[in-house]
Amino acid sequence: MKEIPSYADVLEAAERIKPFTNRTPVFKSKWYNHQAEAELFFKCENFQKVGAFKFRGACNAVFTLNDHEANRGIVTHSSGNHAQAVALAARTKGYQATIIMPKNAPSVKVRAVKEYGAKILFCEPTIEARKEMTYQFIEETNAHFIHPYNHPMVIAGQGTVAKEFLDEIPDLDIIIAPVGGGGLISGTCITAKQIKPSIRVIGCEPELADDAYRSLKEGTIQPVLRTDTIADGLRTSLGDVTFTIMKEYLDDLVTVSEKSITREMRSVWERMKIIIEPSSAVPLAACMDQKFEVKGKKIGVILTGGNVDLDKLPWI
Amino acid sequence: MKEIPSYADVLEAAERIKPFTNRTPVFKSKWYNHQAEAELFFKCENFQKVGAFKFRGACNAVFTLNDHEANRGIVTHSSGNHAQAVALAARTKGYQATIIMPKNAPSVKVRAVKEYGAKILFCEPTIEARKEMTYQFIEETNAHFIHPYNHPMVIAGQGTVAKEFLDEIPDLDIIIAPVGGGGLISGTCITAKQIKPSIRVIGCEPELADDAYRSLKEGTIQPVLRTDTIADGLRTSLGDVTFTIMKEYLDDLVTVSEKSITREMRSVWERMKIIIEPSSAVPLAACMDQKFEVKGKKIGVILTGGNVDLDKLPWI
């Protein structure tokens, strides 16, 4: 078992990453308030660097390495936002990052990682091949591995989203976020429960990737069974650190349909004129489908990112 | 010839519409600054009510009517943002608005106008039929006509964009905006030249709708010859009021290709994570294609709106 991060770690993370991250704005929408009969606040991490909250955790994890550790190299495996996040975080400090990516990764994502100066190693497009190549790389180079979520400093970094959110809107009744590997929701739990113990923290998952729901029900980590949800950021299973935190703090975990995810993604584009990726629409779908007590509440919605393939929109 | 609005009219408009409009944010983009070798500021009127700057002018024109005038009814013809803008502005004051729309108008736009409580009269889909039905309606009802751009109070309302922009970023060297009927660029000229006489105001048009370019060259208002630019907000000819203002104040007018418009529209979606409509991409395209002296300058770009049919994107 790895170390569980504390709220003090979140506060240190906030100071550490502040000069390098965007303090993202909180948006409101009269239309959504009217529809939900509640007051919604949207923390726009789609405006974060690399287009997703992932940059916070990656920065914190990379910046806590001392030069000696970092100079051995930094490695991670990801085909998504974490890859770009680690690449940019490493470049910010002048370290060399290596990203293991599946060889069928979208060219736009490969290009982005290259733009941030990271080295890419391509592997077969399976989770096993990815892990195998990563372990082999660590064995050979002694590089430091930045896990995408099951890493205390990554979780502490993600906790800075909730800190900024509650600093700006202190009287939220509920805070909702999507659950993939659980890094964001864990950081949110640690932070929000410390700042406002009465707040409810609710995790949201696609029905097609309901592993966290099943894990909490069974009491042991359950694998993701399918990888076909359009919420491509949420196709991962929990880790032991994130699962431990979620078991202790999370108030509820709800699931939503693919149809609702697509509907709310499109609706945010149309009504709020901002680009969010499918994963970001998951908590909002839970809210609009009244999967928890919504009416009359002040609800903080974390919009996690805005990296979308504009050639392949789910409604076209 | 109608009255030319003054900067005092803009100041009055700013006070008049302030409680009802959004003070839209100014965004920056490191990526764009790097690409352009300049410092760009984006005034996000896509976040304005009804999704476009048009609400400012419509509000100002509607709110300057006295109850006696307004109770005779308000009418306009438009299939675009001006229709929604007048509908919402009228509803805000409890007045009845009638919008003449072509019977082939997109159902999403018809629905939006209805949502704002306006009455719709459908006409044949030609400019002549629209005008004919509008004049007939005015004849019968004595309703007040709110022209989409050739109206001093509409122009004064649009001038509030530049006022807010320069209040926030006083040292802009250049301010750029698209030119359709000329309402926004005229309001921008009157305001920007008063606040900062040394500023350059540059209008931008699609090559396929270069009527303002030809009008300024010829010295008389020239008609739009084609209506197939993707910048659907810019398919209109100038009016006598807007042309008079542009002749006096405008520093330059440049044109851009359809390809550049689509490229920059997509690029803003991808890099800045905000939805802009094709018309909004026109000034940015002029900037990135170096259609005027860009390097080293502080450039204010007015992003005019974000109303896009998400089923029909120009790159798909």
Side-chain angles (χ1 to χ4, degrees), chain A residues 266 273 275 307 311 315, chain B residues 266 273 275 307 310-311 315:
Chain A
R266 181 174 177 146
K273 312 299 182 193
I275 306 259
N307 292 327
D311 290 316
W315 53 79
Chain B
R266 180 173 178 147
K273 312 299 181 193
I275 306 258
N307 293 327
L310 293 177
D311 290 317
W315 52 80

Side-chain angles (χ1 to χ4, degrees), chain B residues 1-315:
Chain B
M1 166 68 79
K2 286 177 189 160
E3 200 191 334
I4 303 290
S6 67
Y7 182 57
D9 292 320
V10 177
L11 291 178
E12 279 176 25
E15 284 307 306
R16 188 177 290 127
I17 69 175
K18 196 176 177 182
F20 306 95
T21 48
N22 295 333
R23 188 183 171 102
T24 53
V26 174
F27 277 20
K28 298 178 67 173
S29 159
K30 276 195 184 165
W31 185 84
Y32 265 115
N33 288 349
H34 182 76
Q35 295 294 314
E37 299 176 47
E39 198 175 355
L40 270 55
F41 300 86
F42 299 89
K43 178 73 171 162
C44 293
E45 286 295 301
N46 51 336
F47 297 145
Q48 189 50 265
K49 285 188 187 166
V50 315
F53 75 93
K54 289 272 182 182
F55 187 58
R56 295 172 184 263
C59 267
N60 193 47
V62 168
F63 297 178
T64 43
L65 299 176
N66 61 42
D67 279 351
H68 177 72
E69 291 172 307
N71 285 333
R72 299 195 321 248
I74 290 161
V75 64
T76 197
H77 58 75
S78 166
S79 61
N81 294 330
H82 181 64
Q84 296 178 52
V86 169
L88 180 59
R91 193 184 67 180
T92 304
K93 288 284 181 183
Y95 302 144
Q96 179 64 55
T98 302
I99 316 289
I100 317 279
M101 297 183 89
K103 62 184 186 187
N104 64 351
S107 62
V108 56
K109 300 213 165 176
V110 173
R111 200 169 58 239
V113 169
K114 277 188 187 157
E115 269 181 31
Y116 293 131
K119 228 169 62 183
I120 300 177
L121 295 177
F122 290 102
C123 65
E124 294 299 314
T126 66
I127 286 285
E128 292 68 35
R130 249 194 233 193
K131 287 186 178 169
E132 175 60 31
M133 191 181 273
T134 307
Y135 295 144
Q136 205 179 319
F137 185 83
I138 295 168
E139 192 99 340
E140 285 166 15
T141 65
N142 206 11
H144 189 90
F145 176 49
I146 311 260
H147 193 282
Y149 49 86
N150 205 46
H151 184 305
M153 291 301 104
V154 169
I155 295 169
Q158 319 306 27
T160 63
V161 178
K163 184 179 179 301
E164 285 180 12
F165 209 167
L166 283 160
D167 282 351
E168 193 162 338
I169 318 287
D171 55 348
L172 291 177
D173 299 308
I174 301 169
I175 194 163
I176 55 178
V179 177
L184 176 64
I185 200 77
S186 295
T188 302
C189 279
I190 289 165
T191 307
K193 291 289 185 179
Q194 177 76 32
I195 297 176
K196 190 186 176 193
S198 68
I199 204 168
R200 283 175 63 77
V201 180
I202 300 176
C204 308
E205 268 188 334
E207 284 166 8
L208 294 190
D210 66 342
D211 58 294
Y213 176 81
R214 287 181 285 108
S215 301
L216 289 166
K217 206 169 145 194
E218 297 291 326
T220 53
I221 296 174
Q222 301 296 312
V224 175
L225 299 176
R226 301 169 55 163
T227 58
D228 52 351
T229 172
I230 57 158
D232 54 323
L234 310 181
R235 294 171 187 157
T236 39
S237 307
L238 303 178
D240 57 356
V241 184
T242 57
F243 186 51
T244 303
I245 297 167
M246 288 166 68
K247 275 192 294 188
E248 181 161 352
Y249 294 108
L250 198 64
D251 291 295
D252 201 358
L253 198 142
V254 298
T255 61
V256 296
S257 70
E258 297 292 297
K259 201 176 147 190
S260 294
I261 298 169
T262 302
R263 182 193 69 220
E264 293 311 324
M265 177 181 167
R266 180 173 178 147
S267 176
V268 165
W269 289 35
E270 280 183 341
R271 301 283 173 173
M272 296 179 65
K273 312 299 181 193
I274 59 175
I275 306 258
I276 61 165
E277 56 192 45
S279 303
S280 294
V282 169
L284 190 55
C287 188
M288 301 314 284
D289 287 353
Q290 309 272 337
K291 294 278 181 162
F292 54 91
E293 205 194 320
V294 168
K295 286 186 186 170
K297 303 290 184 192
K298 288 198 172 193
I299 303 171
V301 183
I302 301 177
L303 298 178
T304 47
N307 293 327
V308 177
D309 182 347
L310 293 177
D311 290 317
K312 280 189 222 157
L313 298 178
W315 52 80

Side-chain angles (χ1 to χ4, degrees), chain A:
Chain A
M1 166 69 79
K2 285 178 191 160
E3 200 192 333
I4 304 291
S6 67
Y7 181 57
D9 291 321
V10 177
L11 291 178
E12 278 175 25
E15 283 308 306
R16 189 178 289 126
I17 69 176
K18 197 175 175 182
F20 305 96
T21 48
N22 294 334
R23 188 183 171 102
T24 54
V26 174
F27 276 20
K28 298 178 68 172
S29 159
K30 276 195 183 165
W31 186 84
Y32 265 115
N33 288 349
H34 182 75
Q35 295 293 314
E37 298 176 49
E39 199 175 356
L40 271 56
F41 300 87
F42 299 89
K43 177 72 171 163
C44 293
E45 286 295 301
N46 52 336
F47 297 146
Q48 188 51 266
K49 285 188 186 166
V50 315
F53 75 94
K54 291 272 182 184
F55 186 58
R56 295 172 183 264
C59 268
N60 193 47
V62 167
F63 296 178
T64 43
L65 299 175
N66 62 42
D67 278 352
H68 178 70
E69 292 171 306
N71 284 333
R72 299 197 320 249
I74 289 161
V75 65
T76 197
H77 57 75
S78 166
S79 60
N81 293 331
H82 181 63
Q84 295 177 53
V86 169
L88 180 58
R91 192 184 66 179
T92 304
K93 289 283 181 183
Y95 304 143
Q96 178 64 54
T98 302
I99 317 289
I100 318 279
M101 295 183 90
K103 63 184 186 187
N104 63 351
S107 62
V108 56
K109 299 211 166 178
V110 174
R111 198 170 59 238
V113 168
K114 276 187 188 158
E115 270 182 30
Y116 292 131
K119 227 169 64 185
I120 299 177
L121 294 178
F122 289 102
C123 64
E124 294 299 314
T126 66
I127 286 285
E128 292 69 34
R130 247 195 235 192
K131 287 186 179 169
E132 175 60 31
M133 190 179 272
T134 307
Y135 296 144
Q136 205 180 319
F137 185 82
I138 294 169
E139 192 99 339
E140 285 167 14
T141 63
N142 206 11
H144 188 90
F145 176 48
I146 311 260
H147 193 283
Y149 49 88
N150 206 46
H151 183 306
M153 291 302 102
V154 169
I155 295 170
Q158 319 306 29
T160 62
V161 178
K163 182 176 181 303
E164 284 180 13
F165 209 167
L166 282 161
D167 281 352
E168 194 161 338
I169 319 288
D171 55 347
L172 291 178
D173 299 308
I174 301 169
I175 193 162
I176 55 178
V179 177
L184 176 64
I185 199 79
S186 296
T188 302
C189 279
I190 289 165
T191 307
K193 292 290 186 179
Q194 177 76 32
I195 296 176
K196 190 186 177 193
S198 68
I199 204 168
R200 284 175 63 75
V201 179
I202 301 176
C204 309
E205 268 188 335
E207 286 166 8
L208 295 191
D210 66 343
D211 58 293
Y213 177 81
R214 287 181 286 108
S215 301
L216 289 165
K217 207 171 146 193
E218 298 290 326
T220 53
I221 296 173
Q222 302 295 312
V224 174
L225 299 175
R226 302 170 54 164
T227 57
D228 52 350
T229 172
I230 57 158
D232 53 321
L234 309 181
R235 294 171 187 158
T236 39
S237 308
L238 302 177
D240 55 356
V241 183
T242 55
F243 186 50
T244 303
I245 297 167
M246 288 166 69
K247 275 193 295 188
E248 181 162 352
Y249 294 109
L250 198 64
D251 290 296
D252 201 358
L253 198 143
V254 298
T255 61
V256 296
S257 70
E258 296 293 296
K259 201 175 148 190
S260 293
I261 298 169
T262 302
R263 182 194 69 220
E264 294 310 324
M265 177 181 167
R266 181 174 177 146
S267 174
V268 165
W269 288 36
E270 280 183 341
R271 301 283 173 171
M272 297 178 64
K273 312 299 182 193
I274 58 175
I275 306 259
I276 61 165
E277 57 192 44
S279 303
S280 294
V282 169
L284 191 56
C287 188
M288 301 315 283
D289 287 353
Q290 308 272 337
K291 295 277 181 164
F292 55 91
E293 205 193 320
V294 169
K295 286 186 186 171
K297 303 291 184 193
K298 287 198 172 192
I299 303 170
V301 183
I302 301 177
L303 298 179
T304 48
N307 292 327
V308 177
D309 182 347
L310 293 177
D311 290 316
K312 280 189 219 159
L313 298 178
W315 53 79
I316 291 183

